[in-house]
Amino acid sequence: MKYLQEDEMYRVPSACSFEIAEFCIQYADDFEAMFGLSPDVFMEVAMYHWSIMTKR
């Protein structure tokens, strides 16, 4: 079995970002209570981070 390493690891959530965002939006109040950010703001920050990590 091969494990994902380095930038490969960040490509998976980036590729599934739409599905992740849709799921989080369904539970927006709970999500914001837990993370202190709305799902859309969280996803913007996450996408930015994932893009930086894959360009290393």
Side-chain angles (χ1 to χ4, degrees):
M1 179 196 290
K2 180 183 175 193
Y3 293 97
L4 298 177
Q5 296 180 8
E6 299 177 18
D7 65 328
E8 292 175 327
M9 181 173 51
Y10 292 101
R11 288 191 181 127
V12 173
S14 183
C16 300
S17 63
F18 179 77
E19 290 85 357
I20 294 169
E22 288 296 309
F23 176 81
C24 294
I25 287 169
Q26 290 180 20
Y27 304 99
D29 292 338
D30 295 326
F31 188 94
E32 192 162 350
M34 289 177 62
F35 297 105
L37 297 169
S38 64
D40 56 333
V41 171
F42 179 87
M43 289 305 297
E44 282 186 45
V45 173
M47 290 295 294
Y48 178 72
H49 175 72
W50 297 332
S51 71
I52 288 172
M53 297 306 293
T54 57
K55 291 179 183 172
R56 287 174 150 198

